[in-house]
Amino acid sequence: MHTDARTLDDGTVVEGDICIIGAGAAGISMALEWKDTPHRVILIEGGGFQVEPRYQELYAGESAGQTYYPLQAVRLKAFGGTTGHWAGWCSPFEPIDFKPRAWVPESGWPIDRATLDPFYARANRYVEIGPPEWDAAYWEAQDPDRVSLAFDRSRVFTKMWQFSPPTRFGVRYRDDIVQANNIHLYTDAHVTSVRANDAASAVEGLTVQTFNGKTLTFRAKHYVMAGGAWQNARLLLASNDRVPAGLGNQNDLVGRYFMEHLEVMCAGMLLVNAPASMKMYEMKFFQTKARGELALTEAVQEENELLNLTATLHPRTLEPKDYPWLISRYPSDARFTVNRLEDLQDAYEGGKLDSSDYLSGLREFQLQARMEQAPNRDSRVMLAPEKDELGMPRLTLDWRLTPLEKHSLRRTFEVIGEEAGKAGLGRVQLLDWLTTDDPMWTPNLGGGWHHMGTTRMHDDPKRGVVDRDCTVHGMANLHIASSSTFTTAGVSNPTLTIIAMTIRLSDRLKGMMG
């Protein structure tokens, strides 16, 4: 069932059993987990069914730290959320990502990988990928041309990704949501305040505004914030009528520990002694089902005190100018990537682009790093003095990196080079900017648009915003389904983990509601 909130009368009160704020991968997955149950599910989306500049402008803000993309360009305010420009990368977090690591400050989740394994398996169907198989040996057995490079696998292994079609949640699941008898989708409904009771121990309702001047109230037994890391933090901080610092922010943690995946072009070159089959490491958009990248084992990460990182192989001829998603050159219009991916998909499907192997037979490869960012209390999002069209404070992003990121990048490539030499594969050449002690980053820095950590998970309310069950500390009926709860960033793209954690939260809420 679908309602455009602009058609409701001013002052309308909407009531249900569970209210989900945000209709991206998390919000839609959560709603579908409740489909055909006796419970009335409210799904609130601020945008409509298409990406529109007026809605994107609500995300505009400023960057105060490390240079970042235009804020309004990297999130989509529309039904389906940022799956609208998702490239489909899926991989679970590694076991080490959940563990406390002495060399990574503030690391260690209150749950482990085994806790999420059954939910990862269920998440696969939402993103429409294959079996929950993440060992390179499984994929090698499926295709004799898919062979891992002959590193010592106790040191360097091939980490696997599977690729969603990619599933555009706003297209794939629109009919499922709209036609469900117990799911009530409201679009063009902008949540501007979470209203708590006098003790700020529970939520009593949501204030929702529309572009045509309507103010609405939504009420439920339980509320799930399923926005991105920026918007979840923004809404909690702006909901400050009961608690001046904002809901869940009694220990000044909301908005802090913002993390992103760094994607670094031009950090090193892999020079192999002899051409080999590289089908394992190739990725053709909208065609490849599984693909590997080079990574260091848990033991080697601990031995060298490194963050998690993977190395992607590209032809050496790839220049930074050919890589469109660099921070230094990205446009402010969010439709750029949506249109680019649609054009690329049309080109492949229409046979206009070469789909033959493009790495096999080469000897020289560009290494692109994809790596986690260390948790950093001073890396954060904050409310800005300026307000948007609906009166919500805009955001300021103060993105901060630490020496551990650059150390991890340099040392990881050194280790890969050392191991390549031992195995007789070849050698790695580091580029000049990475071999200096200069703290500055290359202008060829990119990011994954994977925003994490602003409402981090920890059992101790002095160290986290939500508990291990993703419930906001001190608020019995307010929960968060988002990468904003991630304690560390890992190296895997977050979508699959977001959905797995959403399913886990959904199961818990079903148990609470009976």
Side-chain angles (χ1 to χ4, degrees), residues 99-155:
K99 297 178 181 179
R101 290 169 279 172
W103 64 96
V104 181
E106 299 292 344
S107 59
W109 296 47
I111 60 175
D112 59 15
R113 164 66 183 271
T115 302
L116 285 186
D117 276 340
F119 303 104
Y120 275 129
R122 290 167 60 184
N124 278 19
R125 66 185 178 90
Y126 283 111
V127 295
E128 301 177 294
I129 60 174
E133 296 286 351
W134 305 103
D135 192 316
Y138 171 86
W139 295 99
E140 289 170 336
Q142 309 307 306
D143 184 347
D145 294 329
R146 188 184 279 131
V147 180
S148 297
L149 289 171
F151 285 96
D152 176 350
R153 294 192 182 191
S154 69
R155 306 281 294 172

Side-chain angles (χ1 to χ4, degrees), residues 105-250:
E106 299 292 344
S107 59
W109 296 47
I111 60 175
D112 59 15
R113 164 66 183 271
T115 302
L116 285 186
D117 276 340
F119 303 104
Y120 275 129
R122 290 167 60 184
N124 278 19
R125 66 185 178 90
Y126 283 111
V127 295
E128 301 177 294
I129 60 174
E133 296 286 351
W134 305 103
D135 192 316
Y138 171 86
W139 295 99
E140 289 170 336
Q142 309 307 306
D143 184 347
D145 294 329
R146 188 184 279 131
V147 180
S148 297
L149 289 171
F151 285 96
D152 176 350
R153 294 192 182 191
S154 69
R155 306 281 294 172
V156 179
F157 73 102
T158 297
K159 176 177 170 58
M160 297 302 303
W161 266 260
Q162 292 189 53
F163 291 89
S164 171
T167 304
R168 306 292 181 212
F169 277 55
V171 176
R172 172 65 179 82
Y173 297 117
R174 178 172 172 173
D175 288 347
D176 295 273
I177 294 292
V178 171
Q179 295 174 11
N181 291 328
N182 69 313
I183 300 175
H184 300 258
L185 168 66
Y186 292 85
T187 56
D188 298 279
H190 308 273
V191 180
T192 56
S193 179
V194 178
R195 302 200 304 266
N197 60 10
D198 290 342
S201 59
V203 177
E204 292 186 333
L206 307 175
T207 299
V208 172
Q209 293 181 267
T210 68
F211 272 141
N212 62 347
K214 309 287 183 63
T215 299
L216 317 170
T217 295
F218 284 67
R219 293 176 182 157
K221 298 173 183 175
H222 288 272
Y223 302 81
V224 178
M225 299 180 69
W230 291 348
Q231 298 308 313
N232 285 342
R234 181 188 186 190
L235 183 55
L236 287 173
L237 292 171
S239 300
N240 55 9
D241 55 336
R242 298 295 189 196
V243 182
L247 294 180
N249 198 33
Q250 59 269 31

